[in-house]
Amino acid sequence: MRARTRTGLGALATGIVSVLLAGTASAAPSPGAPGVGDPYYPNAGNGGTDVLHYDIRLTYQPATDLLSGTTTLLLTATQDLSRFDLDFALKASSVRVNSRPAQFTNQTGNGELVVTPAQPLLKGQTATVVVAYADTPSTATVDGLNAWKKGSFGALGIDEPQSSAWWFPANDHPTDKATYDVSIEAPDGNAAISNGTLVRKTKQRAGWTRWQWRSTKPQATYLTAFVVGKYEVVEATTPGGKPFVTAYGADLGDSLGAAKASVERTPEINEFLATQFGPYPFEAEGGVVTSGIGFSLENQTRPVYGARNFRAGSNTTLIAHENAHQWYGDSVAVGRWSDIWLNEGFASYAEWLWSEHEGEGTVAELAQYTYDANPADADLWKLVPADPGADNQFDNAVYDRGALTLQALRTAVGDQAFFDILRTWHATKSGSHGRILEFIALAEKISGKPLHDLFQTWLYTAGKPSVGPNGAAAAFRSAASASASVKPRSYDQIQQNHRFLAAEHAG
């Protein structure tokens, strides 16, 4: 199901060519594929459609876990379609396409809603698809997995690589982004939190409040958040004038102060990251802290943090990590899930940049210590970040070795070219997605240097590189020294961040 037979730069180039040379639509309308062809998750996404906008209007009852309402998709057919799939784990009760009732099949076990419109959709035609449903997400599984979180904290539609299937039908792959209106009605005393700007809160019936959120920038499905429960919601404005909404679970206890001392610094941290990566890419900022997860996720404009990350005190390196994803992972998505290094290696490098900014250890010190502290037989060197496999997408090697790769690149090309590469990658791919080979080509173009061997060594080849991330001189100094390099003050916290990030992802 997840077998891979080739790795390395040559294999990646072949894969990209295969995508670019995929066959054209047939003369007669035909079914859209159940997936976009991602080798890690064959049923992820859907062939034949491009979703432009989601209008999600739901009511949620935490006491019973009943989620009901409608999702309206504005989508364009990318081929002549006799039928098409949506990724959905819940049971639809009705489907309309362009206002006409459509036939549909709930294949909930493998997460597919198969829709046959009354009239075929023609290539280039834009259609309105309305799906009505009422179901309990905690009872729904896809291939035996359930990404919905339900407990005393309320409910969370939060996970990676998939979470949307448990609360709205979608084309669930990062290559199909859309804009969103998310409207969630919940019992009074509960917050209902999603992405972007909080447009309004209204009371349409006694005992219930509806929260309306709007995301105006292209957004991937797994980055779209559903958070309902008892939270303290803080509405403010950043120094730059953007809405800044944060929320803290009522059950955080002794961690509440540390959580606030970290998350409330988000605008300051984003101001710093903007000096490294270019302007912040979205219309709002914020964060949510919940006891419902142990990991954290870079939900667009409003990352969601597991409460345990703040049990030992403030943790601004984690805030830097998740907000760096707003550039790398959110604004620029992965083209395939095997490209996860473009997300996690970059966000981990941002932790090092923030550490240096805070005087807790420089980037070079953190990189050298990470290299020195992991002997040749350490697990860090056994996995290749460029193709970790679906079961190891969040392995520490993707984070630490991924960041080491960027430091090795910086050493090779110099600071000016390095940061020019990072900023240009975001500027040219903003709102879209990218592949590792495209990043390598950009790095070679900007630096004017051949970089194939560097990336082959650090990204595609198992084993500890013979020369460290800071170059041969640093390697000589380390070998000549009586002891390993001194541990930077931020190192242990960053390592704990990565352990928690890897621990609980459903994928």
Side-chain angles (χ1 to χ4, degrees):
M1 194 74 169
R2 295 175 178 172
R4 299 177 310 284
T5 58
R6 303 179 66 189
T7 60
L9 295 182
L12 183 57
T14 300
I16 290 177
V17 170
S18 297
V19 171
L20 293 177
L21 297 181
T24 58
S26 59
S30 59
V36 297
D38 193 309
Y40 282 13
Y41 306 102
N43 283 334
N46 307 286
T49 61
D50 175 19
V51 181
L52 308 175
H53 183 75
Y54 293 91
D55 185 86
I56 305 168
R57 187 175 180 85
L58 303 172
T59 294
Y60 181 69
Q61 174 53 268
T64 61
D65 195 41
L66 179 63
L67 182 71
S68 59
T70 60
T71 291
T72 301
L73 303 89
L74 187 68
L75 58 81
T76 299
T78 59
Q79 67 178 68
D80 292 344
L81 282 172
S82 59
R83 72 170 188 258
F84 59 90
D85 285 24
L86 296 173
D87 299 303
F88 199 38
L90 307 184
K91 293 178 181 177
S93 56
S94 70
V95 179
R96 286 178 175 265
V97 178
N98 291 333
S99 298
R100 293 179 172 85
Q103 297 180 11
F104 63 95
T105 303
N106 290 300
Q107 296 180 358
T108 53
N110 63 358
E112 297 292 319
L113 174 63
V114 183
V115 179
T116 303
Q119 298 177 344
L121 301 181
L122 301 181
K123 182 178 181 180
Q125 179 182 355
T126 298
T128 302
V129 181
V130 182
V131 181
Y133 47 101
D135 205 349
T136 51
S138 59
T139 65
T141 60
V142 176
D143 297 329
L145 297 175
N146 183 287
W148 188 255
K149 282 80 176 166
K150 176 76 173 69
S152 59
F153 52 84
L156 301 171
I158 304 290
D159 218 315
E160 182 183 14
Q162 285 97 24
S163 60
S164 61
W166 283 267
W167 64 285
F168 69 97
N171 190 0
D172 187 16
H173 193 269
T175 53
D176 190 6
K177 296 181 177 183
T179 54
Y180 285 78
D181 283 301
V182 177
S183 175
I184 305 170
E185 184 184 48
D188 290 348
N190 290 270
I193 303 160
S194 194
N195 311 70
T197 302
L198 179 57
V199 178
R200 68 180 68 90
K201 289 186 289 184
T202 58
K203 289 186 66 64
Q204 298 163 322
R205 56 176 173 148
W208 295 77
T209 300
R210 181 167 291 279
W211 301 60
Q212 173 72 49
W213 300 87
R214 169 162 285 188
S215 298
T216 60
K217 302 292 185 181
Q219 181 171 293
T221 46
Y222 82 97
L223 298 172
T224 306
F226 180 104
V227 179
V228 171
K230 298 186 182 301
Y231 290 82
E232 175 192 353
V233 178
V234 182
E235 298 181 55
T237 305
T238 71
K242 295 180 184 294
F244 178 51
V245 181
T246 56
Y248 304 91
D251 60 352
L252 296 187
D254 293 342
S255 297
L256 177 61
K260 286 187 173 182
S262 307
V263 178
E264 295 299 321
R265 291 184 68 183
T266 297
E268 173 196 354
I269 292 170
N270 280 336
E271 285 178 10
F272 166 73
L273 294 176
T275 67
Q276 311 297 299
F277 306 146
Y280 178 78
F282 300 124
E283 73 272 31
E285 300 180 32
V288 178
V289 183
T290 177
S291 64
I293 55 175
F295 64 98
S296 300
L297 185 63
E298 61 270 18
N299 300 87
Q300 192 159 305
T301 71
R302 195 154 293 111
V304 179
Y305 304 95
R308 71 174 178 176
N309 289 279
F310 307 102
R311 287 177 186 167
S314 63
N315 189 353
T316 55
T317 57
L318 179 63
I319 312 305
H321 181 106
E322 300 304 340
N323 280 279
H325 277 310
Q326 304 303 306
W327 284 261
Y328 307 112
D330 294 14
S331 181
V332 183
V334 292
R336 285 186 179 178
W337 279 109
S338 57
D339 297 315
I340 191 69
W341 168 72
L342 292 169
N343 289 10
E344 300 303 346
F346 288 45
S348 299
Y349 197 80
E351 292 176 271
W352 294 357
L353 291 168
W354 176 250
S355 170
E356 181 169 314
H357 178 72
E358 290 286 275
E360 296 287 327
T362 68
V363 171
E365 289 167 348
L366 282 158
Q368 194 64 45
Y369 187 83
T370 301
Y371 178 83
D372 292 343
N374 287 273
D377 61 351
D379 289 343
L380 182 65
W381 313 115
K382 296 177 181 178
L383 196 75
V384 291
D387 189 15
D391 293 334
N392 296 303
Q393 277 182 265
F394 306 104
D395 187 273
N396 195 49
V398 179
Y399 294 83
D400 281 352
R401 188 169 177 176
L404 288 170
T405 301
L406 288 173
Q407 180 63 9
L409 173 63
R410 183 176 178 178
T411 299
V413 304
D415 283 9
Q416 182 173 341
F418 175 74
F419 286 103
D420 191 13
I421 291 165
L422 295 189
R423 295 184 188 113
T424 304
W425 176 248
H426 176 258
T428 57
K429 294 289 187 179
S430 179
S432 184
H433 56 271
R435 302 293 312 277
I436 291 175
L437 197 64
E438 294 174 319
F439 178 81
I440 294 172
L442 177 69
E444 290 187 324
K445 179 180 179 181
I446 289 177
S447 68
K449 295 186 176 184
L451 298 171
H452 176 280
D453 290 348
L454 183 150
F455 284 104
Q456 187 69 41
T457 296
W458 284 95
L459 280 187
Y460 291 92
T461 305
K464 185 174 183 176
S466 59
V467 176
N470 295 320
F476 174 78
R477 287 197 301 272
S478 176
S481 127
S483 61
S485 51
V486 176
K487 182 192 294 186
R489 282 180 289 174
S490 62
Y491 179 82
D492 286 340
Q493 185 177 70
I494 291 172
Q495 288 302 299
Q496 180 172 275
N497 291 345
H498 296 176
R499 287 193 296 272
F500 286 170
L501 287 167
E504 295 182 15
H505 287 288

